[in-house]
Amino acid sequence: MTTQRALITGIFGQDAAYLARHLIDQGYEIIGTHRRTSTNNSWRLRELDVERHIRFEELELLEQSNIIHTLKETRPTEIYNLAAQSFVGSSFNQPIFTGEANALGVTRILEAIRVVDPEIRFYQASTSEMFGLVQETPQKETTAFYPRSPYGISKLYAHWMTKNYREAYGLHATSGILFNHESPLRGTEFVTRKITTHFAAIKFGLIDHVELGNLNACRDWGHARDYVEGMHAMVRHDEADDFVLASGQTHTIEDFANLAASVAGFKIEWEGEAEDRKAYNRETGKCIIKVNPRFYRPTEVDLLMGDAGKAKDVLGWAPRTNFENLVEEMMAADLDRQSRTDRFVSN
Ligand code: NAP
Ligand code: GDD
């Protein structure tokens, strides 16, 4: 078999690091693309020891000519489009940039594939945020969409564009509808890693407490390491299609915090409701979690729980890491990182 060459956009992000590791282990050549930045941002790639195997190229989702020239010069056989403005919270403040990058950025890549080489297989990072105000539970490929943020709406446009280019031009263009997946390499703005970095800093006496938003939202959390294997299986499948990847379980933010606290060695007790809800460390009596409405979203996604039955039947994919193991791994990693520095671990 000829060597496969995968181009991964958003190479400095969480998923890209795990995907690069997985594909390198499968014998792939990797072209990792990133937008131009003034500083090197490759800490995740170093953590998984993949940086030295990657050919780096600058690629900006807002720049059509840049995308076309990058494909002409690098000649990938597969493209995994993981680059995006991926933080739902910021999408309310940056709806236009979010649409440019997440929605039109995908059309620009699909057009570039048509022009340069329609044989390139394409993976689009779609999301459970497209289900938003959920119309049924659990959510699956046939569930009606109802996005609740500029992020979810931008991703829904990209999802339909991917499907349209598959149907209109016969591209092998696949959309993975992935539910939340986390890891020790998760960005610290997302709630899971925000909790584990702050608990580690509390443990080492650097801060007193963490401020969170809506504690009642329910998410279906899995491990990014497992989900990138599903991405690859979709791209290698004969037929391009849409697939949900999910754990099938859902937990509240408070559940995540309770489990992370117990891994960190805190015994916590909750008091109060809504904005007055607080968690206290039973041993010290100090408050370690407060609610701050600043972190509420103008429109919230209250409940996500996916059904990955199709991915299991067609691709043989199932997650390996359960919720408890995920929280343990994340909390242990941040305690370890924090133990090695006096400054608050911020990435
Ligand atoms: P992530 O860590 O935020 O990585 C996204 C990457 O995209 C970052 O490296 C970012 O660059 C890059 N990027 C942003 N705007 C760009 C632009 N205009 N041009 C080029 N690159 C740009 O996200 P992730 O968690 O790995 O997620 C990967 C993809 O899956 C994203 O598309 C996300 O929306 C989607 N998704 C994620 C989940 C999840 O739970 N993780 C679930 C469903 C779907 P910088 O490093 O410079 O910021
Ligand atoms: N970020 C954050 N910070 N979220 C908080 C906080 C807080 O302090 N407090 C409560 N939350 C709640 C949010 O309101 C939301 O309901 C939930 O925690 C999860 O928020 P995030 O971790 O920011 O993730 P997300 O679910 O909005 O989006 C992630 O998953 C999507 C898939 O469903 C991102 O990775 C998206 O890119 C991805 O598409």
Side-chain angles (χ1 to χ4, degrees):
M1 193 174 119
T2 53
T3 305
Q4 297 291 341
R5 187 179 300 142
L7 184 149
I8 305 175
T9 70
I11 193 65
F12 293 148
Q14 169 192 256
D15 289 7
Y18 284 101
L19 180 63
R21 176 76 273 162
H22 177 67
L23 295 180
I24 288 164
D25 292 344
Q26 306 284 316
Y28 274 61
E29 289 175 14
I30 306 293
I31 302 140
T33 75
H34 58 91
R35 56 181 167 177
R36 201 204 78 80
T37 46
S38 61
T39 46
N40 181 307
N41 207 2
S42 60
W43 66 274
R44 295 182 172 99
L45 301 172
R46 287 195 297 277
E47 289 232 3
L48 298 186
D49 192 25
V50 289
E51 189 179 24
R52 64 205 159 93
H53 298 292
I54 296 172
R55 167 180 169 184
F56 292 97
E57 296 287 340
E58 278 183 17
L59 183 140
E60 170 56 66
L61 291 173
L62 272 53
E63 184 65 56
Q64 179 78 74
S65 63
N66 182 208
I67 300 173
I68 291 175
H69 288 301
T70 305
L71 297 201
K72 279 187 177 162
E73 277 160 28
T74 59
R75 292 284 166 184
T77 54
E78 299 173 5
I79 296 178
Y80 295 83
N81 180 38
L82 306 186
Q85 191 303 90
S86 70
F87 188 45
V88 173
S90 295
S91 77
F92 288 100
N93 302 326
Q94 300 178 7
I96 296 167
F97 170 72
T98 301
E100 283 286 351
N102 299 6
L104 289 178
V106 175
T107 308
R108 292 183 189 106
I109 299 175
L110 289 164
E111 270 301 304
I113 291 174
R114 277 186 71 205
V115 170
V116 176
D117 178 4
E119 294 302 310
I120 296 171
R121 294 189 175 201
F122 177 71
Y123 173 86
Q124 168 56 15
S126 287
T127 164
S128 48
E129 276 289 308
M130 301 188 307
F131 297 122
L133 185 62
V134 297
Q135 303 293 297
E136 65 174 335
T137 298
Q139 298 88 45
K140 50 184 185 284
E141 292 80 0
T142 51
T143 302
F145 297 117
Y146 194 139
R148 292 271 277 175
S149 64
Y151 169 82
I153 294 162
S154 70
K155 285 283 186 174
L156 187 52
Y157 170 92
H159 179 74
W160 281 111
M161 271 299 186
T162 302
K163 206 175 172 83
N164 184 249
Y165 273 60
R166 182 196 310 157
E167 293 172 357
Y169 308 114
L171 296 191
H172 193 292
T174 281
S175 195
I177 307 174
L178 272 51
F179 283 65
N180 297 51
H181 44 280
E182 320 291 311
S183 74
L185 304 186
R186 184 60 144 152
T188 51
E189 70 274 39
F190 300 97
V191 73
T192 54
R193 187 101 197 289
K194 180 175 174 182
I195 291 170
T196 58
T197 49
H198 280 75
F199 279 1
I202 294 169
K203 189 84 188 166
F204 285 90
L206 296 176
I207 56 171
D208 296 329
H209 68 276
V210 56
E211 294 186 352
L212 300 174
N214 176 9
L215 300 171
N216 300 320
C218 293
R219 287 293 181 275
D220 176 329
W221 280 298
H223 198 303
R225 189 175 48 217
D226 298 343
Y227 285 49
V228 300
E229 292 181 11
M231 294 178 190
H232 181 220
M234 287 180 216
V235 171
R236 292 319 307 159
H237 188 60
D238 290 343
E239 302 263 323
D241 203 344
D242 305 327
F243 292 96
V244 160
L245 299 186
S247 77
Q249 288 187 6
T250 194
H251 299 273
T252 64
I253 311 306
E254 196 166 305
D255 292 338
F256 189 100
N258 283 333
L259 190 50
S262 92
V263 178
F266 299 126
K267 292 189 176 62
I268 60 174
E269 211 161 71
W270 290 92
E271 282 179 18
E273 292 303 323
E275 287 166 32
D276 297 323
R277 194 147 176 82
K278 292 186 174 66
Y280 293 89
N281 181 339
R282 262 199 268 157
E283 278 159 6
T284 62
K286 287 187 180 165
C287 172
I288 63 167
I289 303 176
K290 288 183 188 166
V291 171
N292 186 338
R294 185 162 80 83
F295 298 109
Y296 289 171
R297 290 172 182 172
T299 39
E300 176 63 286
V301 172
D302 294 316
L303 166 73
L304 290 175
M305 188 168 94
D307 173 354
K310 179 175 168 185
K312 186 161 197 286
D313 293 345
V314 178
L315 307 172
W317 179 87
R320 281 193 280 258
T321 315
N322 66 22
F323 178 67
E324 288 72 23
N325 294 148
L326 171 71
V327 180
E328 276 163 28
E329 185 181 328
M330 291 181 70
M331 192 64 248
D334 277 322
L335 287 169
D336 180 53
R337 287 178 178 127
Q338 193 59 77
S339 73
R340 287 185 270 120
T341 172
D342 291 340
R343 67 169 183 89
F344 186 134
V345 172
S346 58
N347 69 13

